[in-house]
Coordinates of all heavy atoms in Angstrom, one line a residue:
E136 N 15.0 10.5 3.5 CA 15.7 9.3 3.2 C 14.8 8.1 3.4 O 14.8 7.1 2.6 CB 17.0 9.2 4.0 CG 18.1 10.1 3.6 CD 19.3 9.9 4.5 OE1 19.4 8.9 5.2 OE2 20.2 10.8 4.5
N137 N 14.0 8.1 4.4 CA 13.0 7.1 4.7 C 12.0 7.0 3.6 O 11.6 5.9 3.1 CB 12.3 7.3 6.0 CG 13.2 6.9 7.2 OD1 14.2 6.2 7.1 ND2 12.8 7.3 8.4
V138 N 11.5 8.2 3.2 CA 10.5 8.3 2.2 C 11.0 7.7 0.9 O 10.4 6.9 0.2 CB 10.1 9.8 1.9 CG1 9.2 9.9 0.7 CG2 9.3 10.3 3.1
N139 N 12.3 8.1 0.5 CA 12.9 7.6 -0.7 C 13.1 6.1 -0.7 O 13.0 5.4 -1.8 CB 14.2 8.3 -1.0 CG 13.9 9.7 -1.6 OD1 12.9 9.9 -2.3 ND2 14.9 10.6 -1.4
A140 N 13.4 5.6 0.5 CA 13.6 4.1 0.5 C 12.3 3.4 0.2 O 12.3 2.4 -0.5 CB 14.1 3.7 1.9
T141 N 11.2 3.9 0.7 CA 9.9 3.4 0.4 C 9.5 3.6 -1.1 O 9.1 2.6 -1.7 CB 8.8 4.0 1.3 OG1 9.2 3.8 2.7 CG2 7.4 3.4 1.0
L142 N 9.7 4.8 -1.6 CA 9.4 5.0 -3.0 C 10.2 4.1 -3.9 O 9.6 3.5 -4.8 CB 9.8 6.5 -3.3 CG 8.8 7.6 -2.8 CD1 9.5 9.0 -3.0 CD2 7.5 7.5 -3.4
E143 N 11.5 4.0 -3.7 CA 12.4 3.2 -4.5 C 12.0 1.7 -4.4 O 12.2 1.0 -5.4 CB 13.8 3.5 -4.2 CG 14.3 4.9 -4.6 CD 15.6 5.2 -4.1 OE1 16.2 4.4 -3.3 OE2 16.1 6.3 -4.4
S144 N 11.5 1.3 -3.3 CA 11.2 -0.2 -3.2 C 10.0 -0.5 -4.1 O 9.8 -1.7 -4.4 CB 10.9 -0.5 -1.7 OG 9.7 0.1 -1.3
Y145 N 9.2 0.5 -4.5 CA 8.1 0.2 -5.4 C 8.3 0.9 -6.8 O 7.4 1.1 -7.5 CB 6.8 0.8 -4.8 CG 6.5 0.1 -3.4 CD1 6.4 1.0 -2.3 CD2 6.5 -1.2 -3.2 CE1 6.2 0.4 -1.0 CE2 6.3 -1.8 -2.0 CZ 6.1 -1.0 -0.9 OH 6.0 -1.5 0.4
N146 N 9.6 1.2 -7.1 CA 9.9 1.8 -8.4 C 9.2 3.1 -8.7 O 8.7 3.3 -9.8 CB 9.7 0.7 -9.5 CG 10.6 -0.5 -9.3 OD1 11.7 -0.4 -8.9 ND2 10.0 -1.7 -9.7
L147 N 9.0 3.9 -7.7 CA 8.3 5.1 -7.9 C 9.2 6.4 -7.9 O 8.7 7.5 -7.9 CB 7.3 5.3 -6.7 CG 6.2 4.3 -6.6 CD1 5.4 4.4 -5.3 CD2 5.2 4.4 -7.8
G148 N 10.5 6.2 -8.1 CA 11.4 7.3 -8.2 C 11.8 7.8 -6.8 O 11.8 7.0 -5.9
Q149 N 12.2 9.1 -6.7 CA 12.5 9.6 -5.4 C 12.3 11.1 -5.4 O 12.1 11.7 -6.5 CB 14.0 9.3 -5.1 CG 15.0 9.8 -6.1 CD 16.4 9.5 -5.7 OE1 16.7 8.6 -4.9 NE2 17.4 10.3 -6.2
I150 N 12.4 11.7 -4.3 CA 12.3 13.2 -4.1 C 13.6 13.7 -3.4 O 14.2 12.9 -2.7 CB 11.0 13.6 -3.4 CG1 11.1 13.0 -1.9 CG2 9.8 13.2 -4.1 CD1 9.9 13.5 -1.1
Q151 N 13.9 15.0 -3.6 CA 15.0 15.6 -2.9 C 14.6 16.9 -2.2 O 13.9 17.6 -2.8 CB 16.1 15.9 -4.0 CG 16.7 14.7 -4.7 CD 17.4 13.7 -3.8 OE1 17.9 14.1 -2.8 NE2 17.4 12.4 -4.2
L152 N 15.1 17.0 -1.0 CA 14.8 18.3 -0.3 C 15.4 19.4 -1.0 O 16.7 19.4 -1.2 CB 15.3 18.1 1.2 CG 15.0 19.3 2.1 CD1 13.5 19.6 2.2 CD2 15.6 19.1 3.4
F153 N 14.7 20.5 -1.2 CA 15.2 21.7 -1.9 C 15.4 22.8 -0.9 O 16.4 23.4 -0.9 CB 14.2 22.1 -3.0 CG 14.6 23.3 -3.8 CD1 15.7 23.2 -4.7 CD2 14.0 24.5 -3.7 CE1 16.1 24.3 -5.4 CE2 14.3 25.6 -4.4 CZ 15.4 25.5 -5.3
S154 N 14.4 23.1 -0.1 CA 14.5 24.1 0.9 C 13.4 24.0 1.9 O 12.4 23.3 1.7 CB 14.4 25.5 0.2 OG 13.1 25.7 -0.4
I155 N 13.6 24.7 3.0 CA 12.5 24.9 4.0 C 12.4 26.4 4.3 O 13.3 27.0 4.7 CB 12.8 24.1 5.3 CG1 12.9 22.6 5.0 CG2 11.8 24.4 6.4 CD1 13.3 21.8 6.3
E156 N 11.2 26.9 4.1 CA 10.9 28.3 4.4 C 9.7 28.3 5.3 O 8.6 28.0 4.9 CB 10.7 29.0 3.1 CG 11.9 29.0 2.2 CD 11.6 29.8 0.9 OE1 10.6 30.5 0.8 OE2 12.3 29.5 -0.1
E157 N 9.9 28.8 6.6 CA 8.9 28.7 7.6 C 8.3 27.3 7.7 O 9.1 26.4 8.1 CB 7.7 29.7 7.2 CG 8.2 31.2 7.2 CD 8.6 31.7 8.5 OE1 8.2 31.2 9.6 OE2 9.5 32.6 8.6
N158 N 7.1 27.1 7.4 CA 6.5 25.8 7.4 C 6.3 25.1 6.1 O 5.7 24.0 6.0 CB 5.1 25.8 8.1 CG 5.2 26.3 9.5 OD1 5.9 25.8 10.3 ND2 4.4 27.4 9.8
E159 N 6.9 25.7 5.1 CA 6.8 25.1 3.7 C 8.1 24.3 3.4 O 9.2 24.9 3.4 CB 6.7 26.3 2.7 CG 6.2 25.9 1.4 CD 5.8 27.0 0.5 OE1 6.7 27.6 -0.2 OE2 4.6 27.4 0.5
V160 N 7.9 23.0 3.1 CA 9.0 22.1 2.7 C 8.9 21.9 1.2 O 7.9 21.4 0.7 CB 8.9 20.8 3.5 CG1 9.9 19.8 3.0 CG2 8.9 21.0 5.0
C161 N 9.9 22.4 0.5 CA 10.0 22.3 -0.9 C 10.9 21.1 -1.3 O 12.0 21.0 -0.9 CB 10.5 23.6 -1.6 SG 9.5 25.0 -1.2
V162 N 10.4 20.3 -2.2 CA 11.1 19.2 -2.7 C 11.2 19.2 -4.3 O 10.2 19.7 -4.9 CB 10.6 17.8 -2.2 CG1 10.7 17.7 -0.7 CG2 9.2 17.6 -2.7
D163 N 12.2 18.6 -4.8 CA 12.3 18.4 -6.2 C 11.6 17.1 -6.6 O 11.8 16.1 -6.0 CB 13.8 18.2 -6.7 CG 14.5 19.6 -6.7 OD1 13.8 20.6 -6.9 OD2 15.7 19.6 -6.4
N164 N 10.6 17.2 -7.5 CA 9.8 16.1 -7.8 C 10.5 15.1 -8.8 O 10.9 15.5 -9.9 CB 8.5 16.6 -8.5 CG 7.7 15.4 -9.1 OD1 7.6 14.4 -8.4 ND2 7.1 15.6 -10.2
G165 N 10.7 13.9 -8.3 CA 11.4 12.9 -9.1 C 10.5 11.6 -9.2 O 11.1 10.5 -9.5
L166 N 9.2 11.7 -8.9 CA 8.3 10.6 -9.0 C 8.2 10.1 -10.5 O 8.2 11.0 -11.4 CB 7.0 10.9 -8.4 CG 6.9 11.3 -6.9 CD1 5.5 11.4 -6.5 CD2 7.7 10.3 -6.1
A167 N 8.1 8.8 -10.7 CA 7.9 8.3 -12.0 C 7.0 7.1 -12.0 O 7.0 6.3 -11.2 CB 9.3 7.9 -12.5
F168 N 6.1 7.1 -13.0 CA 5.1 6.1 -13.1 C 5.1 5.6 -14.6 O 4.4 6.1 -15.4 CB 3.7 6.5 -12.8 CG 3.7 7.4 -11.5 CD1 3.4 8.7 -11.6 CD2 4.0 6.8 -10.3 CE1 3.4 9.5 -10.4 CE2 3.9 7.6 -9.1 CZ 3.7 8.9 -9.2
G169 N 5.9 4.6 -14.9 CA 6.0 4.1 -16.2 C 4.7 3.5 -16.8 O 4.1 2.6 -16.2
G170 N 4.3 3.9 -18.0 CA 3.2 3.3 -18.7 C 1.8 3.7 -18.3 O 0.9 3.3 -19.0
L171 N 1.7 4.6 -17.4 CA 0.3 5.1 -17.0 C -0.1 6.3 -17.9 O 0.7 7.1 -18.3 CB 0.3 5.6 -15.6 CG 0.5 4.5 -14.5 CD1 0.3 5.1 -13.1 CD2 -0.5 3.4 -14.6
R172 N -1.4 6.3 -18.1 CA -1.9 7.5 -18.8 C -1.7 8.8 -17.9 O -1.6 8.6 -16.7 CB -3.5 7.3 -19.0 CG -3.8 6.3 -20.0 CD -5.4 6.2 -20.2 NE -6.0 5.7 -18.9 CZ -6.7 6.5 -18.2 NH1 -7.0 7.7 -18.5 NH2 -7.3 6.0 -17.1
Q173 N -1.6 9.9 -18.6 CA -1.3 11.1 -17.9 C -2.2 11.4 -16.7 O -1.8 11.8 -15.6 CB -1.3 12.3 -18.8 CG -0.7 13.6 -18.2 CD 0.8 13.5 -17.9 OE1 1.6 13.0 -18.6 NE2 1.1 13.9 -16.7
L174 N -3.5 11.2 -17.0 CA -4.5 11.5 -15.9 C -4.3 10.6 -14.7 O -4.4 11.0 -13.6 CB -5.9 11.3 -16.5 CG -7.1 11.8 -15.6 CD1 -7.0 13.3 -15.4 CD2 -8.4 11.5 -16.3
Q175 N -4.1 9.3 -15.0 CA -3.9 8.3 -13.9 C -2.6 8.6 -13.2 O -2.5 8.6 -11.9 CB -3.9 6.9 -14.5 CG -4.0 5.8 -13.4 CD -4.1 4.4 -14.0 OE1 -4.2 4.3 -15.2 NE2 -4.1 3.4 -13.1
A176 N -1.5 9.0 -13.9 CA -0.3 9.3 -13.3 C -0.4 10.6 -12.4 O 0.2 10.6 -11.3 CB 0.8 9.5 -14.4
D177 N -1.1 11.6 -12.9 CA -1.3 12.8 -12.1 C -2.0 12.5 -10.8 O -1.7 13.1 -9.7 CB -2.0 13.9 -12.9 CG -1.2 14.4 -14.0 OD1 0.0 14.2 -14.0 OD2 -1.8 15.1 -14.9
S178 N -3.1 11.7 -10.9 CA -3.9 11.3 -9.7 C -3.0 10.5 -8.7 O -3.1 10.8 -7.5 CB -5.1 10.5 -10.2 OG -5.9 10.2 -9.1
L179 N -2.2 9.6 -9.2 CA -1.3 8.8 -8.3 C -0.3 9.7 -7.7 O 0.0 9.6 -6.5 CB -0.7 7.7 -9.1 CG 0.2 6.7 -8.4 CD1 -0.6 6.0 -7.3 CD2 0.8 5.7 -9.3
R180 N 0.3 10.6 -8.4 CA 1.3 11.6 -7.9 C 0.7 12.4 -6.8 O 1.3 12.6 -5.7 CB 1.8 12.5 -9.0 CG 2.9 13.5 -8.5 CD 3.5 14.3 -9.7 NE 4.2 13.4 -10.7 CZ 3.7 13.1 -11.9 NH1 2.5 13.5 -12.3 NH2 4.4 12.3 -12.7
E181 N -0.5 12.9 -7.0 CA -1.2 13.7 -5.9 C -1.4 12.9 -4.7 O -1.2 13.4 -3.5 CB -2.5 14.3 -6.5 CG -3.2 15.2 -5.5 CD -4.6 15.7 -6.1 OE1 -4.8 15.6 -7.3 OE2 -5.3 16.3 -5.3
M182 N -1.8 11.7 -4.8 CA -2.1 10.8 -3.7 C -0.8 10.5 -2.9 O -0.8 10.6 -1.7 CB -2.7 9.5 -4.2 CG -3.0 8.5 -3.1 SD -1.6 7.4 -2.6 CE -1.6 6.3 -4.1
I183 N 0.3 10.2 -3.6 CA 1.5 9.9 -2.9 C 2.0 11.1 -2.2 O 2.5 11.0 -1.0 CB 2.6 9.5 -4.0 CG1 2.2 8.0 -4.4 CG2 4.0 9.5 -3.4 CD1 3.1 7.5 -5.5
Y184 N 1.9 12.3 -2.8 CA 2.4 13.5 -2.0 C 1.5 13.8 -0.8 O 2.0 14.3 0.2 CB 2.5 14.7 -2.9 CG 3.8 14.8 -3.7 CD1 3.8 14.7 -5.1 CD2 5.0 14.9 -3.0 CE1 5.0 14.8 -5.8 CE2 6.2 14.9 -3.7 CZ 6.2 14.8 -5.0 OH 7.4 14.9 -5.7
D185 N 0.2 13.5 -0.9 CA -0.7 13.6 0.2 C -0.2 12.7 1.4 O -0.2 13.1 2.5 CB -2.1 13.3 -0.2 CG -2.8 14.4 -0.9 OD1 -2.3 15.6 -0.9 OD2 -3.9 14.2 -1.5
C186 N 0.1 11.5 1.0 CA 0.6 10.5 2.0 C 1.9 11.0 2.6 O 2.1 10.8 3.9 CB 0.8 9.1 1.4 SG -0.7 8.3 0.9
I187 N 2.8 11.5 1.8 CA 4.1 12.0 2.3 C 3.9 13.1 3.3 O 4.5 13.2 4.4 CB 5.1 12.3 1.2 CG1 5.4 11.1 0.4 CG2 6.3 13.0 1.7 CD1 6.2 11.4 -0.9

Side-chain angles (χ1 to χ4, degrees):
E136 285 181 17
N137 282 345
V138 170
N139 280 334
T141 303
L142 288 170
E143 289 170 356
S144 69
Y145 304 122
N146 299 325
L147 294 171
Q149 60 179 22
I150 60 176
Q151 298 296 332
L152 181 62
F153 180 71
S154 67
I155 296 178
E156 299 177 20
E157 297 295 334
N158 298 308
E159 193 170 87
V160 176
C161 300
V162 298
D163 286 329
N164 173 38
L166 298 186
F168 316 110
L171 293 183
R172 291 180 296 112
Q173 189 64 46
L174 191 63
Q175 193 175 354
D177 289 345
S178 182
L179 184 57
R180 182 176 293 106
E181 182 179 349
M182 179 274 287
I183 286 174
Y184 276 119
D185 283 348
C186 290
I187 295 172

